[in-house]
Amino acid sequence: MRTGAARGHVGHFHEAGFYGSDAEFRALIVPFAEEGIAAGEPVIIGYDDRKSGLLRSWLTDPSAVEFIADNSLYATPARAIATYRRLFEFHRAMGAEQIRIAGDVPHPGNGGRFEGWDRYECAVNIVWQDFPVWGLCLYDTATAPAVVVDVVERTHPRIVSPSGDRHRSGRYQHRTQFRSVAVAPDPLEQSAPVIELTGSSAAGVRRVLTQIGRGRVPGTVLSDLLLGTSEAVNNALLHGRPPVSVRIWARPDRIVVHVHDTGPGPADRLAGLVPPADGAADPELGLWLTHQLDIDVALIHGDGGFTVRLRGGTIPS
Amino acid sequence: MPEASFPVTMVSGVPVVTAPEEIDITNAAALRAALLEAAAHGTRTLVVNMSRTQFCDSAGLHVLVRAHQRAQAESGEVRLVIHDAHVHRIFAVTGIDRLIPSFPRLEQALPQTSAVPTSPQVLGSQPH
């Protein structure tokens, strides 16, 4: 049986909290963790070293909590979703009736880039619905930019305050209503691309990209760019509206690729983050595969059509 | 250019599909046809030799997963031979490596061959 505020809830109980001091952080996180430990529920914490250290010092038995020290877990939103799902599957198989997880996603306030994580916070309302998860996402209002706070309020159905008050978020947006944050342009896009291809096959684009990218980015990054670009070109050719164009920018340590068609792009703003249904083929599988790679992927819906932007190498902050 | 069809050969009584250097949407249907042909031999296991393969897109992954599911429905399985590190990584990040067993060498992918030499011709004469 599930315990605490999520008692009786089915699926992911997604809750956010805001704090402005260590004392408020403590008031939010300690009861969450201690109640979970007392109930024998797995408690998983994904915070930076400082906050994890604070929590360890506050807990009666910090060894009962699973601290995630692997920073690569948050390498990309889709990878984090997939990794957590496997973790949840493990705990469910071990008989857990509720899994408590607390953390915050990368944003400038904790040294990360927030781009793409707005869609993640929306997506986990759906993709973790199969599990008895209580996700408590605590954000520091002293360091989290306003855009992060805005997204958190729009992606979490419930809000908890340091005083323990719980209420529904009046600004919550369902998946179908969710407005993602505008994608910041890459400075390279201000200049003319190295090459622009129109009507090329995916294989043809791969040949050109291989020539441009070799020596500029690590081999694994180039391989990921080739795969992601290939998927985007095939999706545009099969499901977009012609003409399909590919533009490539390059500098010594970064490659930027735009795959553009004049159609509206996928209607689902969470495309690529949600694992494809069993047996699904393109375009869901291709977009999802692209989001698993170690490259930066942005889906840009504009008046002139739909663009998949793929970046590899040193990404500007 | 992608190949139009892929050979299916019998190695030690097991059908082995030889995959091309690149598997993508243009040749995924041909790969599917080869896998169906291999499955028609009626053996429980079939092997896809991807030792030459350096690129595999989602269309290729889809075909392989479906072939494995079909084989599993008949209490069999698909086994893969993967050399390329990036191809291996794609199977890992998608979790397909936990669905479909893969091996670095063809001889290891063949069932019950732990004590046999590596030559396919010799393998063909081994009991199993």
Side-chain angles (χ1 to χ4, degrees):
Chain A
M1 188 178 70
R2 299 180 71 160
T3 62
R7 183 190 302 269
H9 186 82
V10 176
H12 183 198
F13 188 86
H14 197 199
E15 190 174 51
F18 299 102
Y19 60 92
S21 66
D22 285 348
E24 289 188 343
F25 177 58
R26 180 175 185 166
L28 285 161
I29 191 73
V30 168
F32 175 80
E34 292 285 17
E35 287 170 14
I37 295 168
E41 297 171 355
V43 179
I44 302 163
I45 301 295
Y47 278 114
D48 59 29
D49 290 344
R50 192 187 84 82
K51 291 199 193 73
S52 294
L54 282 174
L55 183 54
R56 281 192 179 92
S57 72
W58 294 332
L59 290 176
T60 309
D61 180 11
S63 67
V65 170
E66 192 173 337
F67 288 92
I68 296 178
D70 182 7
N71 292 331
S72 67
L73 188 150
Y74 282 102
T76 71
R79 294 267 289 280
I81 286 171
T83 304
Y84 273 124
R85 278 186 64 94
R86 287 196 290 274
L87 194 59
F88 298 157
E89 282 166 4
F90 167 77
H91 282 296
R92 187 170 60 184
M94 297 296 288
E97 296 187 20
Q98 177 159 272
I99 304 156
R100 297 187 182 216
I101 175 169
D104 57 359
V105 302
H107 61 78
N110 58 24
R113 288 176 58 244
F114 187 60
E115 208 162 277
W117 291 96
D118 56 331
R119 295 204 305 141
Y120 167 94
E121 284 283 28
C122 181
V124 296
N125 288 306
I126 294 101
V127 295
W128 292 349
Q129 191 59 22
D130 299 338
F131 302 97
V133 171
W134 180 356
L136 179 63
C137 306
L138 302 180
Y139 285 85
D140 185 349
T141 53
T143 60
V147 65
V148 174
V149 173
D150 169 62
V151 165
V152 170
E153 288 178 345
R154 292 193 289 114
T155 53
H156 293 73
R158 299 165 193 82
I159 305 285
V160 57
S161 70
S163 67
D165 173 62
R166 292 190 145 85
H167 61 274
R168 290 197 163 269
S169 172
R171 302 191 60 228
Y172 176 68
Q173 294 174 329
H174 187 263
R175 169 189 194 168
T176 54
Q177 308 162 316
F178 179 66
R179 287 177 292 103
S180 52
V181 176
V183 175
D186 188 291
L188 265 183
E189 296 161 0
Q190 309 273 333
S191 58
V194 173
I195 195 167
E196 178 160 358
L197 306 163
T198 303
S200 293
S201 68
V205 173
R206 292 201 299 268
R207 306 287 174 263
V208 172
L209 184 55
T210 299
Q211 291 175 352
I212 294 173
R214 194 170 280 153
R216 293 180 189 270
V217 294
T220 54
V221 173
L222 180 57
S223 294
D224 283 359
L225 273 176
L226 289 168
L227 182 52
T229 301
S230 188
E231 297 289 350
V233 170
N234 281 330
N235 274 346
L237 291 171
L238 286 170
H239 307 286
R241 186 182 300 156
V244 174
S245 61
V246 177
R247 290 188 290 171
I248 303 173
W249 290 264
R251 51 174 277 166
D253 62 347
R254 180 161 86 253
I255 302 289
V256 179
V257 181
H258 281 196
V259 179
H260 176 83
D261 73 80
T262 57
D268 187 352
R269 291 298 195 257
L270 304 186
L273 292 182
V274 181
D278 186 36
D282 58 282
E284 292 90 352
L285 183 59
L287 255 186
W288 181 78
L289 170 59
T290 301
H291 280 75
Q292 303 301 310
L293 304 173
D294 281 334
I295 52 176
D296 179 75
V297 182
L299 309 183
I300 304 169
H301 299 260
D303 293 339
F306 174 65
T307 302
V308 179
R309 185 183 72 183
L310 308 105
R311 297 190 294 179
T314 306
I315 307 299
S317 58
Chain B
M1 290 294 292
E3 297 164 42
S5 62
F6 311 119
V8 181
T9 56
M10 296 300 289
V11 180
S12 193
V14 177
V16 177
V17 177
T18 302
E21 288 184 23
E22 295 191 336
I23 306 172
D24 68 7
I25 199 164
T26 63
N27 60 10
L31 177 62
R32 179 175 182 274
L35 288 164
L36 288 172
E37 179 191 335
H41 284 84
T43 57
R44 295 175 67 173
T45 300
L46 63 92
V47 173
V48 184
N49 186 351
M50 300 174 69
S51 58
R52 287 194 301 147
T53 304
Q54 298 173 5
F55 181 87
C56 182
D57 76 356
S58 64
L61 296 179
H62 179 68
V63 165
L64 292 169
V65 169
R66 296 293 284 175
H68 184 62
Q69 290 171 336
R70 281 195 302 271
Q72 281 188 313
E74 303 292 330
S75 302
E77 65 178 359
V78 168
R79 296 179 171 201
L80 307 175
V81 181
I82 300 177
H83 279 182
D84 185 85
H86 187 255
V87 172
H88 210 278
R89 201 172 72 79
I90 296 307
F91 280 78
V93 299
T94 54
I96 295 174
D97 65 337
R98 292 188 297 280
L99 295 176
I100 310 178
S102 67
F103 303 84
R105 297 168 64 88
L106 174 61
E107 306 83 71
Q108 295 166 312
L110 298 168
Q112 301 175 10
T113 57
S114 59
V116 301
T118 56
S119 164
Q121 287 77 16
V122 177
L123 284 175
S125 64
Q126 298 299 313
H128 55 270

